Amino acid sequence: MNRYEARFTALRQAGRKAFIPFTILGFPDRARCLRGIEALLAGGAAALELGIAFSDPLADGAVIQQATHEVLAAGFRVRDALALVRDIRALDANLPIGLLVYHNIVAARGPERFFDDVKAAGADGVLIADLPPETAAEVAEAAKAAEVAPIFMVSPLTGEDRLRQIGALAEGFLYVVSRLGITGSDTNFDEQLRATLARTRRLSRLPLCVGFGVSTPEAARQMIALGADGVVTGSRIIEIIREAGDNFPTAVQSFCAAMQRAVDEPAAQAV
Amino acid sequence: MQSLGYFGPFGGVYAPETLMPALEELEAAFLAAQMDSTFQDDLQRLSAEFSGRPTPLFHAQNLSRELGVEVYCKREDLLHGGAHKTNNALGQALLAKRMGKLRLIAETGAGQHGVATAMAGALLGLSVEVYMGEVDMARQQPNVFRMQLLGAKVHPVKTGGRTLKDAINAALRDWMTNVRTTHYVLGTAAGPHPFPTMVKYFQRIIGDEARAQILKKLNQLPSKVVACVGGGSNAIGIFTAFLDDADVELIGVEPGGQGLDTAAHGAVLARGTVGTLHGMRSYVLQDEDGQIHETHSISAGLDYPSVGPEHAYLKSIGRVRYESATDEEAIAAFHRLSRCEGIIPALEPAHAIAYVLRMAQTWPRGTVVLLNLCGRGDKDLQTVLEYTR
């Protein structure tokens, strides 16, 4: 059983849901990134989603773009990101760790070497933001050969045929985007998202975690009420790290704890 | 999708999940439009009456005399809007209208594609918003004003190198967000399928016309066809008609910037390696981690770190040869054609002219060269003035 299965099974048995914080590896620098992640774990994060900076992050909004740009400008390389993942793994042996990358980062190393390096660093899954199932077969196979879960996104416009295609390749969990567009703070919870979750649930056994615009405990509660197994929050965490100055570990930990509490509250109370 | 649009190992669909339904919808509409006689009639009528097709083929006799070779220019600079970009923008705008979209977005480098999209939007009653790098807005100011006059909103892009690459990122982000109402009029034969194939479809009229025109005039095909290559839409537009003519040498000219031995160039096919950017596999300028480099060219329209996937393929099979010309050579060619023929070329095709000027003495006397004069140079006067100072 991989760490995703173990963690989601344990949560389900306890009647709990997953809060999955996201940040960019190396932001704002190596040491503070690690301290921020320690704070997220102290706040009770169920899993982590970590971005490897890419020069052209076209699925990302302004907040993550800016963080990415700063990380690259500081000379933080892919090997530095993977070394940092190794240190994060050392903090917790059972925590599911997913990486979020763009295809050119994988292609530059070659899929086999990339996934071997990811596995050696201790990560459990990789989501390639610009790799749809149509073109993912070879890469997904390389990931599975290295025992890394290929994670895929599902959008409100993903139809049933493509959901089946995604279901045939995906492991770990499905990242359901709450709305069209890019990462960032605009929240959406509507009947269409409820329908997306229901449709996806019918066609896949994987846990469904909602991301894009899940920036407050209230939004997190709503997503759970709509049928999600967990939520992913990224841009808001990067904003908190920026805004809180030297106090950022405390701020990050209390945000994470509030989000985890929100997703764990019974859905009935939320609506 | 019906196809993934590969050219050998290049092209394909490397796009976020939120874009996939839009690409599927676009591919289906594009395939249907090819069979739809109303669409074809509208495109042909507007290409003639609005855009001014066919464009002439001009025998540059003064230059030919000086060089000892016969230079024929395909006058896309005379197309409405001042560049070949109108062919594609009009075609895609008609398609968007047919799909029931209300809003067009576009990226632009030199501004010509933005202007072309703004013209087509005004013509067809679609609102237009254009993403343009801040650096490009400064160096192509007249085109910014033209877009605004035509009713388009121009968004400055302030990320990355603030040029064409960043404008494409911004336009793709907008499209992902507003996909239901919006069509993204991508300006070059690049990006995820179906764009490279679709842009070629709308641009191949250049070569189809030029081939017929030169056959009629000379009763023979040219020995060489020369075009500048940034993303590569004018080049694929003129090359396509000649791909099966094995005796016709096809030459693409990339921006050599300050020289290929410096970091300041955009010669992707000469110096790049295979990678993924903007939804496609093609050549890119990148480091060993796969981070994309900033590029440089005096011509905003060629300032792009990747290239259309079909060019990558045509290079790999040896059908097209890709050369380069520097900023300095392009500026010299800009002046030479202006004085010698009374035609001020855009800095983009000035690269193709520069290559002909450099190589003509090595070619047999009387060699027939077809050159794609893909745009006029009014937009570049400020850049050339500043370079000369």
Side-chain angles (χ1 to χ4, degrees), chain A residues 53-58 60 65 72 77-78 103-105 107 129-132 135 153 157-158 162 180-181 192, chain B residues 4 6 13-17 20-21 24 159 165 169 173 176-177 179-180 275-276 281 286 288-292:
Chain A
F54 175 55
S55 55
D56 293 83
L58 63 85
D60 285 305
Q65 281 178 54
L72 290 176
R77 303 277 310 267
V78 172
H103 184 251
N104 206 40
I105 299 291
D130 54 350
L131 195 67
T135 17
M153 283 190 177
L157 293 184
T158 308
R162 300 196 60 262
L180 298 176
Q192 192 179 21
Chain B
L4 292 177
Y6 280 103
V13 181
Y14 296 81
E17 184 59 29
M20 294 306 296
E24 283 184 317
T159 51
K165 172 183 82 125
N169 287 334
R173 290 184 184 114
M176 278 184 259
T177 310
V179 67
R180 288 188 179 93
T276 312
R281 295 285 287 163
Q286 60 183 334
E288 58 181 290
D289 275 353
Q291 309 293 356
I292 309 301

Side-chain angles (χ1 to χ4, degrees), chain A residues 107-125:
Chain A
R109 293 197 164 214
E112 284 176 21
R113 193 185 139 213
F114 179 81
F115 290 111
D116 284 348
D117 290 350
V118 163
K119 182 70 183 172
D124 303 294

Side-chain angles (χ1 to χ4, degrees), chain B residues 213-242:
Chain B
Q213 287 167 321
I214 205 157
L215 275 175
K216 190 171 174 204
K217 209 166 244 184
L218 302 178
N219 206 22
Q220 69 171 86
L221 289 172
S223 299
K224 298 171 194 299
V225 178
V226 185
C228 63
V229 177
S233 71
N234 91 86
I236 209 70
I238 199 163
F239 289 165
T240 298
F242 297 95

Side-chain angles (χ1 to χ4, degrees), chain B residues 148-370:
Chain B
Q148 290 164 344
L149 282 174
L150 290 159
K153 186 163 189 228
V154 184
H155 297 286
V157 177
K158 301 175 183 186
T159 51
R162 293 169 293 145
T163 62
L164 182 55
K165 172 183 82 125
D166 313 290
I168 295 177
N169 287 334
L172 283 167
R173 290 184 184 114
D174 179 318
W175 200 28
M176 278 184 259
T177 310
N178 301 299
V179 67
R180 288 188 179 93
T181 58
T182 300
H183 173 65
Y184 175 21
V185 185
L186 214 162
T188 192
H193 176 70
F195 284 109
T197 300
M198 184 172 67
V199 175
K200 173 174 73 171
Y201 178 84
F202 291 127
Q203 291 293 4
R204 67 165 297 162
I205 186 75
I206 303 171
D208 289 342
E209 280 178 11
R211 192 173 182 280
Q213 287 167 321
I214 205 157
L215 275 175
K216 190 171 174 204
K217 209 166 244 184
L218 302 178
N219 206 22
Q220 69 171 86
L221 289 172
S223 299
K224 298 171 194 299
V225 178
V226 185
C228 63
V229 177
S233 71
N234 91 86
I236 209 70
I238 199 163
F239 289 165
T240 298
F242 297 95
L243 285 177
D244 294 332
D245 300 318
D247 292 340
V248 179
E249 191 185 7
L250 305 177
I251 301 152
V253 184
E254 296 192 289
Q258 293 166 15
L260 296 197
D261 47 349
T262 71
H265 67 77
V268 176
L269 290 161
R271 286 289 191 272
T273 48
V274 178
T276 312
L277 180 70
H278 294 151
M280 63 179 170
R281 295 285 287 163
S282 185
Y283 279 77
V284 291
L285 292 171
Q286 60 183 334
D287 70 13
E288 58 181 290
D289 275 353
Q291 309 293 356
I292 309 301
H293 286 312
E294 302 299 339
T295 49
H296 164 82
S297 171
I298 185 105
S299 114
L302 302 181
D303 204 346
Y304 181 54
S306 187
V307 64
E310 193 168 2
H311 287 292
Y313 174 67
L314 292 170
K315 175 191 159 84
S316 75
I317 62 168
R319 180 62 189 94
V320 180
R321 206 148 52 78
Y322 294 89
E323 303 284 345
S324 68
T326 62
D327 288 353
E328 196 180 340
E329 289 177 299
I331 292 277
F334 176 95
H335 286 297
R336 179 97 175 251
L337 194 74
S338 300
R339 299 220 172 170
C340 186
E341 296 290 354
I343 298 173
I344 300 174
L347 282 172
E348 289 79 11
H351 286 73
I353 301 161
Y355 173 77
V356 173
L357 296 179
R358 189 204 314 152
M359 297 305 292
Q361 56 184 342
T362 69
W363 296 337
R365 254 196 115 63
T367 297
V368 175
V369 182
L370 170 63

